[in-house]
Amino acid sequence: MAYFDSIRLEKGMYGVSGKSFTQVLEEMDPSENYERTEWEGLDAYQRQLRRFDIQVGGPACSNVERFFQSSDSAALFPEFIARAVRQGMERADRLPSLVATITRIDATDYRTIVAETQAQDSTTVKEGAALPTTTILQQKNLVSLQKRGRLLSSSYEALRFHKLDLFAVTLRQIGAELARELLQDAVTVLVDGDGNSNAAESTPLSAKPTYADMINLWGSVAPYELNTLVASTASMKDLLAISEFQDAAAGLNFQGTGKLATPLGANLIHVPSLEGNTVLGLDKNCALEMVQAGDIITDADKLIDRQMEQAAISTIAGFAKIFKDAVKAVTYGG
């Protein structure tokens, strides 16, 4: 009998500060102990699924009720939900194209930093002269963290005989919705700032954007690198109507990968929640910080003890500007 067969699983494993259920399991049952065995390649949670013969996909996919064959196996159910939601978030996630760094905290309050550089044309100085100074300070205002989530409501009887992979489709869709809402929060901070007087500088246009306007946007972001363009639905249509954006090679790349690119070399991100005729140009390497308070949060007690009923699935995150001038905007009339 393998060691993981004897581990006592309980809902208290979801309440360890700063650690997920799987991380707690890994500390009790490290995956490195299973190298060159039939269990190699599985994490501690997946080994527990094997222990209770729970198949979460494929032709032999188990029913939902399989999780509730014992109190130990029931303790695995919230993590199944969290993983499915996380998969949906990852599939719909556009944040890697906007976020420079992710900060994970175990608190509800967080104050980020800002760098202020002494104005000077060059870092080269004459002998005996002082070097230009970059001062790092804490921002005056806290980062605003938003709780995003969904209330999952269903009776156990309605789901118990359904396959887990069918149930996971709904969970992944919940994750995709959360990802879109986080993207909306991120873009709002890019445009309006994070409360520290750092809204994006905006250039109004009198008509629909031309390729020359996009070149000007590229130049306005310098000395930062313009590597990401963010556009509302209306602006997306206008940008794609520009002849220079209709490059054949770019079209082949879109057909092959689904990723839009521009003649400027920047990734083009469609954000339906961005209001009006707006285009953002930014350097993803230094424009935005994402702050997360924990991972996907589930009502473990309700999911284990009450077999569904109503359980909340949520995530807590916020965004902060790093370098104000690393993002610029253009707006125009309809």
Side-chain angles (χ1 to χ4, degrees):
M1 181 179 70
Y3 171 70
F4 62 80
D5 285 332
S6 61
I7 295 177
R8 180 79 173 92
L9 304 177
E10 56 184 6
K11 60 187 179 183
M13 297 169 69
Y14 287 95
V16 180
S17 178
K19 296 179 181 178
S20 68
F21 181 81
T22 296
Q23 288 172 329
V24 173
L25 266 181
E26 281 288 347
E27 290 183 355
M28 301 170 65
D29 182 37
S31 293
E32 61 190 34
N33 293 342
Y34 295 90
E35 293 179 1
R36 294 184 294 277
T37 72
E38 60 179 307
W39 311 106
E40 186 176 17
L42 301 178
D43 64 26
Y45 176 75
Q46 292 168 329
R47 288 191 291 276
Q48 291 298 322
L49 292 178
R50 288 279 190 93
R51 170 187 175 184
F52 293 103
D53 193 26
I54 300 173
Q55 301 289 330
V56 297
C61 183
S62 303
N63 295 337
V64 171
E65 68 173 356
R66 189 70 181 173
F67 272 107
F68 298 96
Q69 58 190 299
S70 69
S71 59
D72 283 277
S73 60
L76 299 171
F77 190 52
E79 178 69 2
F80 165 76
I81 290 179
R83 287 191 175 210
V85 171
R86 194 179 299 112
Q87 287 173 358
M89 292 183 70
E90 291 171 352
R91 290 183 182 182
D93 194 8
R94 299 293 180 269
L95 289 176
S97 296
L98 304 180
V99 172
T101 184
I102 298 175
T103 301
R104 293 179 172 85
I105 61 175
D106 294 323
T108 56
D109 293 338
Y110 176 77
R111 197 184 304 272
T112 190
I113 59 174
V114 62
E116 297 180 355
T117 301
Q118 181 181 349
Q120 189 162 324
D121 293 335
S122 175
T123 56
T124 302
V125 295
K126 296 180 180 179
E127 184 177 353
L131 289 169
T133 302
T134 295
T135 305
I136 299 177
L137 304 169
Q138 275 197 331
Q139 286 283 28
K140 295 180 180 179
N141 296 322
L142 296 172
V143 175
S144 177
L145 299 181
Q146 302 284 345
K147 185 175 183 178
R148 296 287 193 178
R150 290 289 184 275
L151 187 65
L152 189 63
S153 180
S154 176
S155 68
Y156 174 61
E157 288 71 22
L159 284 175
R160 62 180 298 187
F161 297 119
H162 287 286
K163 298 294 185 181
L164 287 168
D165 51 5
L166 175 61
F167 182 37
V169 172
T170 299
L171 297 173
R172 286 193 291 268
Q173 183 58 25
I174 291 174
E177 291 172 357
L178 291 175
R180 286 190 286 268
E181 290 172 354
L182 288 173
L183 178 62
Q184 178 181 341
D185 292 342
V187 172
T188 297
V189 170
L190 285 172
V191 176
D192 300 330
D194 57 17
N196 288 288
S197 302
N198 52 7
E201 180 182 322
S202 180
T203 300
L205 303 177
S206 58
K208 292 182 179 180
T210 64
Y211 190 62
D213 292 323
M214 293 298 98
I215 294 296
N216 289 334
L217 177 61
W218 169 79
S220 71
V221 174
Y224 301 99
E225 175 190 1
L226 191 150
N227 45 43
T228 302
L229 289 173
V230 177
S232 64
T233 300
S235 296
M236 195 77 168
K237 295 177 181 179
D238 293 335
L239 288 178
L240 295 178
I242 298 175
S243 60
E244 287 85 354
F245 279 55
Q246 299 172 14
D247 176 75
L252 290 174
N253 182 60
F254 175 65
Q255 294 173 22
T257 67
K259 295 182 179 179
L260 291 164
T262 71
L264 302 173
N267 290 325
L268 182 55
I269 308 297
H270 175 214
V271 181
S273 61
L274 183 59
E275 296 181 355
N277 299 309
T278 304
V279 179
L280 296 175
L282 63 123
D283 186 342
K284 68 170 287 295
N285 298 314
C286 52
L288 196 66
E289 174 189 16
M290 181 177 183
V291 183
Q292 285 185 318
D295 199 356
I296 302 297
I297 304 169
T298 60
D299 282 342
D301 286 356
K302 292 182 179 180
L303 290 169
I304 295 171
D305 296 338
R306 303 181 189 179
Q307 301 174 335
M308 300 289 293
E309 290 187 5
Q310 288 188 337
I313 302 169
S314 61
T315 184
I316 300 174
F319 298 89
K321 282 280 195 73
I322 302 177
F323 289 94
K324 174 184 175 181
D325 293 331
V327 54
K328 298 291 179 65
V330 294
T331 58
Y332 57 98

